[in-house]
């Protein structure tokens, strides 16, 4: 058993003092800003800022010495625009700025901006302000009232760039070889480094290309005295062949490697330029999209040949290997076809990279200290493993009994009516065979009458009807009129499928209703975006009072049908609320009548499942000691707690957000939890958009605040309320990657609760779970640079258990007990375990709240749309 884990995270070293750099800063100045605004006003009337993303990408890649670009410089000429290690000469800036400025002006008779910048006439020519030297502390920190160290805002951009260039300065060397990294800047905060040129993997008579990937980001930790720099490690795969129609290329990232067109500067060969390649429906061609700087390259450097979009689409491997001194790599995405290089890195390679990173960043940053095991109570009271499946008391038999008991409680005396819409007879038969096994129904409890099969056993009655899915499982028919918004065309298609479901409906049964539909996998519908019928079927049946669960057609590469049938029923029971957390082993300080509550904010943008943006709060309550209805949800419309199944159905029946004041809705839910001790679980990264006081810098132990109001003691919202914030990487690397190690140089993973300190007042912990058996990999596998005793295995997928940051925000003394933060952190960790599932990403109540978003399916309004009652819906033609 490992006794400590190490995170791939670094922090300012107080013993070494601040990391200070003499940087050169350039501002646009009001004169140049106003001239650029004047030029763009003729083509973009009313826009009060300059669209500088393309220019910034070009400057970061081609202006030697530029470290980072500032924020909001396109709207305020006095703000810092460029940060550089050396002043970029005017002969470099002028052509780049002038070429970009030409794309702003609609009037091609405008005087060339580059000529104006070089003009020596006395008639007040445009002047680029001079560079200023500024000593910048790259570790400058403020401390919040709650004790959280926060870097200055500009460091979220500056520091990752500085770290990235420090790492790119020397190669990563092992006994098996070396890798040199190039910087890939997006300008949004994080910075990538990819090893270049790409590595090769020969497999199946084809060459597959990949690189090592590092991602540098800056983050804070609640109540920590220093902020952190996280470096995530992984693999970047490259597309060597695009085996898809052109029109399916929505937007692929292309990294361009090209020498600077002027004398070598300090950053020669350090950066790759970010571009986007995609299909343009108006021109019916593959083009550079999203303000790609590649569009400007031929005007800046007329001596080199750069890849044309069509040529890059047809011959990506040729450009990946380079032509003369220019190369381009299309970043792989599953939509582009299969790739034989597996995702992720094994822990030993992560450890090797971590050692190298620590050496490169010393002494300006130091590695965060290892986390030590905080408790040995890693898991709740799970069922013991058994080897003899035939024994009545085997683990499988006990699991079946527990599921049947939970189902009986959730149904509360009502029958469960199931309709199986099948496309393959073997799937239908597998589902019918799996049901009695999963919940342990007695052999004599089954009755068959034609296409109807029923079971009655131990207070549970289940009636299953089967019929072919027919056209209901076919692809949606979307309008081809691309002048209409995608959300409207999808809403029309989904409404049509809802009408088809209603027409085929045989009537509503008494009790609880569930539909299991067999549909094709996502790949089957990839030829036509948004044609997958899954969401339409869920919406159609949800509006008719039926829950839905899906199972895919048997296809090569999918799991065994028997296994998938078992999981289909387990997921169906979860939707019925027939699930309860195992008894915890977190300690005697946890109240025996404790209930769990969890909040989740559904945040869909125009890229959501129905192409319609929406924000909706989900609140779930779990009472493990309840005789019935152990899982409930808050129905804002009815202002009451309802069963979890009813919550899901209410979400499907509501088009719009129930409340525009989400903070007020949160307070309402808290008021409804005051009747007994409650552990409130919240994902801070998910909820802080509607509850800004969950930001790390706004946190204070045992305090809560809403809106502009003052902070209040947590007890003001209930004497028995305890609150735990969990945080995952949230798509931004907010929590660090990790690995376990010991004195014998063993590297691996370990489950448990971890902390930086054994201080009993510590509030911040880390939760890690075990690796599922299906994800186990032989030790010693390497992907990047194999060393002695290891073997190269690029085709292997590396599965890494997720680290969950656990902050015990609300914890104090009450009449019942004196709380210990470690007990509540341990309880939160144990809620990630369940007998029926591999370790969960979140504690079970939060897991249930998050999954409820599957039923939030708002449709865009349009003129002429009609509801099920026949009344015209509000909305206008889009």
């Amino acid at each position: 058993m490992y006794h400590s884990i190490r995170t791939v995270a670094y922090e300012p070293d107080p013993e070494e003092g601040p990391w200070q750099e003499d940087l050169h800063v350039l501002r646009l100045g009001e004169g140049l800003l106003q001239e650029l605004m004047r030029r763009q006003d003729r083509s973009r009337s009313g826009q009060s800022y300059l669209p500088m993303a393309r220019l910034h990408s070009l400057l970061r890649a081609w202006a030697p010495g530029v470290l980072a670009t500032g924020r909001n410089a396109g709207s305020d000429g006095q703000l810092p625009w460029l940060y550089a290690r050396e002043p970029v000469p005017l002969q470099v800036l002028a052509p780049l700025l002038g070429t970009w400025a030409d794309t702003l002006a609609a009037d091609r008779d405008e005087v060339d901006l580059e000529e104006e910048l070089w003009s020596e006439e006395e008639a007040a020519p445009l002047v680029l302000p001079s560079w200023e030297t500024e000593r910048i502390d790259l570790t400058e920190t403020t401390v919040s009232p709650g004790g959280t160290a926060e870097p200055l805002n500009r460091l979220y951009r500056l520091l990752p760039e500085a770290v990235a260039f420090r790492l790119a300065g020397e190669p990563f060397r092992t006994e098996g070889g070396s890798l040199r990294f190039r910087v890939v800047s997006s300008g949004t905060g994080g910075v990538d480094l990819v090893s270049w040129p790409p590595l090769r993997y020969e497999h199946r008579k084809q060459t597959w290309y990949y690189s090592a990937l590092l991602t540098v980001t800056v983050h804070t930790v609640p109540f920590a005295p220093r902020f952190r720099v996280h470096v995530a490690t992984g693999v970047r795969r490259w597309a060597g062949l695009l085996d898809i129609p052109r029109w399916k290329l929505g937007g692929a990232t292309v990294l361009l490697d090209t020498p600077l067109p002027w004398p070598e500067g300090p950053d020669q060969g350090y950066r790759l330029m970010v571009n986007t390649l995609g299909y343009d429906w108006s021109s019916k061609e593959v083009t550079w999209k999203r303000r790609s700087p590649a569009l400007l390259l031929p005007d800046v450097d007329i001596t080199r040949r750069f890849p044309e979009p069509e040529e890059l689409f047809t011959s990506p491997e040729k450009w990946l290997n380079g032509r003369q001194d220019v190369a381009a790599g299309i970043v792989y995405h599953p939509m582009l076809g299969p790739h034989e290089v597996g995702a992720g890195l094994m822990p030993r390679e992560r450890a090797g990279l971590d050692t190298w990173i620590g050496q490169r960043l010393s002494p300006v940053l130091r590695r965060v200290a290892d986390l030590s095991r905080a408790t040995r109570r890693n898991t709740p009271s799970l069922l013991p493993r058994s080897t003899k499946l035939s024994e009545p008391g085997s683990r499988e038999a006990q699991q079946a009994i527990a599921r049947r008991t939970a189902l009986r409680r959730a149904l509360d005396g009502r029958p469960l009516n199931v309709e199986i819409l099948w496309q393959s007879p073997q799937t239908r038969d597998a589902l019918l065979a799996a049901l009695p096994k999963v919940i342990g129904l007695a052999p004599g409890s089954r009755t068959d009458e034609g296409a109807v099969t029923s079971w009655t056993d131990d207070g549970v009655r289940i009636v299953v009807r089967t019929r072919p899915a027919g056209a209901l499982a076919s692809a949606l028919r979307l309008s081809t009129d691309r002048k209409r918004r995608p959300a409207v065309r999808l809403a029309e298609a989904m409404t049509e499928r809802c009408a088809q479901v209603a027409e085929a409906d045989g009537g509503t049964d008494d009790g609880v209703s569930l539909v299991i539909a067999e549909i094709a996998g996502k790949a089957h519908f990839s030829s036509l975006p948004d044609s997958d019928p899954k969401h339409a079927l869920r919406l159609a049946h949800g509006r008719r009072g039926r829950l839905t669960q899906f199972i895919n057609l048997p296809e090569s590469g999918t799991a065994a049908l028997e296994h998938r049938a078992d999981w289909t029923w387990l997921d169906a029971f979860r939707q019925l609320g027939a699930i309860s957390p195992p008894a915890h082993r977190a300690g005697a300080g946890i109240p025996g009548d404790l209930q769990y509550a969890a909040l989740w904010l559904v945040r869909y943008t125009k890229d959501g499942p129905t192409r319609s943006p929406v924000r909706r709060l989900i609140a779930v309550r779990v009472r493990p000691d309840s005789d019935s209805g152990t899982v409930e949800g808050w129905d804002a419309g009815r202002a009451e707690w309802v069963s979890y199944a009813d919550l899901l159905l209410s979400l499907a029946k509501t088009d719009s957000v129930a409340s525009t004041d989400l903070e007020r809705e949160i307070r309402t839910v808290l008021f409804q939890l005051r009747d007994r001790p409650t552990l409130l679980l919240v994902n801070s990264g998910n909820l802080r958009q509607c509850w800004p006081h969950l930001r790390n810098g706004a946190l204070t132990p045992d305090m809560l605040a809403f809106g502009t109001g003052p902070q209040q003691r947590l007890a003001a919202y209930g004497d028995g309320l305890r609150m735990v914030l969990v945080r995952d990487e949230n798509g931004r690397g907010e929590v660090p990657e990790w690995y376990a190690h010991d004195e014998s140089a063993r590297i691996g993973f370990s489950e448990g609760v971890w902390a930086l300190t054994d201080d009993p007042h510590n509030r911040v912990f880390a939760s890690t779970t075990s690796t599922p058996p299906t994800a186990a990999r032989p030790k010693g596998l390497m992907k990047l640079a194999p060393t002695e005793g290891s073997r190269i295995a690029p085709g292997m997928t590396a599965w890494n258990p997720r680290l969950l940051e656990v902050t015990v925000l609300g914890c104090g003394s009450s009449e019942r007990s004196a709380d210990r933060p470690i007990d509540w952190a341990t309880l939160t960790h144990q809620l990630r375990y369940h007998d029926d599932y591999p370790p969960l990403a979140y504690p079970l109540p939060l897991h249930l709240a998050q999954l409820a978003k599957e039923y939030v399916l708002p449709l865009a309004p349009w003129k002429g749309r009609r509801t099920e009652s026949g009344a015209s819906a509000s909305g206008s033609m889009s």
Side-chain angles (χ1 to χ4, degrees), residues 661-677:
D661 189 346
L662 294 174
E663 284 191 281
R664 175 177 293 180
E665 192 171 341
I666 293 171
R667 294 197 298 269
T668 299
V669 172
L670 294 182
F671 183 80
Q672 299 297 326
L673 297 170
R674 298 167 66 97
D675 60 325
R676 61 192 295 181

Side-chain angles (χ1 to χ4, degrees), residues 143-156:
V143 179
S144 73
T148 300
E150 298 184 282
L152 263 61
N153 279 338
R154 65 180 176 182
L155 295 187
Y156 284 100

Side-chain angles (χ1 to χ4, degrees), residues 316-339:
E317 186 174 10
K318 291 181 180 180
W319 279 104
L320 190 58
N321 289 317
R323 291 189 172 185
Q324 296 180 347
D325 51 1
V326 177
I330 300 177
V331 176
Y332 169 76
H333 186 277
M335 284 292 294
L336 303 179
H339 203 292

Side-chain angles (χ1 to χ4, degrees), residues 591 593-595 673-680 714-723 810 812-816 819 824:
D593 56 346
L594 180 72
Q595 67 179 354
L673 297 170
R674 298 167 66 97
D675 60 325
R676 61 192 295 181
T678 302
L679 171 59
L680 178 64
L714 191 70
Y717 300 92
D719 290 338
L721 181 62
R722 299 294 179 262
M723 186 170 178
S813 298
S814 66
E815 296 180 359
R816 296 172 179 263
D819 287 356
W824 295 98

Side-chain angles (χ1 to χ4, degrees), residues 36-92:
L36 292 170
M37 292 290 293
R38 182 190 68 79
R39 289 174 179 245
Q40 88 154 351
D41 281 346
R42 300 189 180 187
S43 57
R44 296 183 177 92
S45 60
Q47 188 164 299
S48 59
Y49 61 92
L50 294 172
M52 304 185 73
R54 182 188 294 172
L55 173 62
H56 285 170
S57 183
L58 188 65
L59 288 170
R60 286 191 297 267
W62 264 16
V66 169
L67 178 66
T69 54
R71 298 184 62 183
N72 302 320
S75 57
D76 187 342
Q78 299 307 311
L79 291 176
W81 172 37
L82 299 178
Y83 295 90
R85 282 175 299 282
E86 293 184 3
V88 181
L90 183 61
Q91 60 264 33
V92 173

Side-chain angles (χ1 to χ4, degrees), residues 382-383 385 395-404 406-407 437-439 563 566-567 569-571 573-574 578-582 832-840 844 847:
L382 299 175
L383 293 173
R385 298 286 178 182
R395 185 175 191 272
E396 288 70 19
Q398 293 183 63
Q399 280 182 289
I401 294 173
R403 294 170 191 145
R404 189 172 67 242
L407 182 60
K437 178 187 66 175
V438 167
I439 57 176
H563 175 75
D566 289 347
W567 275 102
W569 287 112
L570 290 179
D571 283 342
F573 297 155
R574 183 262 305 167
I579 187 172
S580 183
R832 299 179 69 183
Y833 290 83
H834 194 277
D835 284 308
D836 284 340
Y837 299 95
L840 300 172
L844 179 62
H847 177 74

Side-chain angles (χ1 to χ4, degrees), residues 417-424 427-428 431 464-474 497 501 513-521 525 532-542 546-554 561 564-565 567-569 571-572 575 855:
N417 300 291
V418 182
E419 184 175 43
I420 297 177
L421 302 177
W422 56 273
Q423 296 191 64
S424 57
T427 297
R428 174 199 61 197
L431 288 169
V464 180
R465 295 176 173 83
T466 64
R467 64 184 174 95
L472 297 181
S474 63
R497 185 56 49 89
V501 168
S513 297
L514 167 72
V515 173
I516 298 178
E518 184 181 18
I519 62 175
F525 304 102
D532 190 334
K534 179 178 179 179
H535 299 305
L537 291 175
R538 173 155 282 156
L539 184 66
H541 289 292
R546 297 188 180 101
L547 299 170
T548 44
Q549 180 59 39
F550 299 94
I551 184 170
N552 285 347
L553 284 164
L561 181 55
R564 293 192 295 114
W567 275 102
T568 298
W569 287 112
D571 283 342
Q575 294 186 52
Y855 281 81

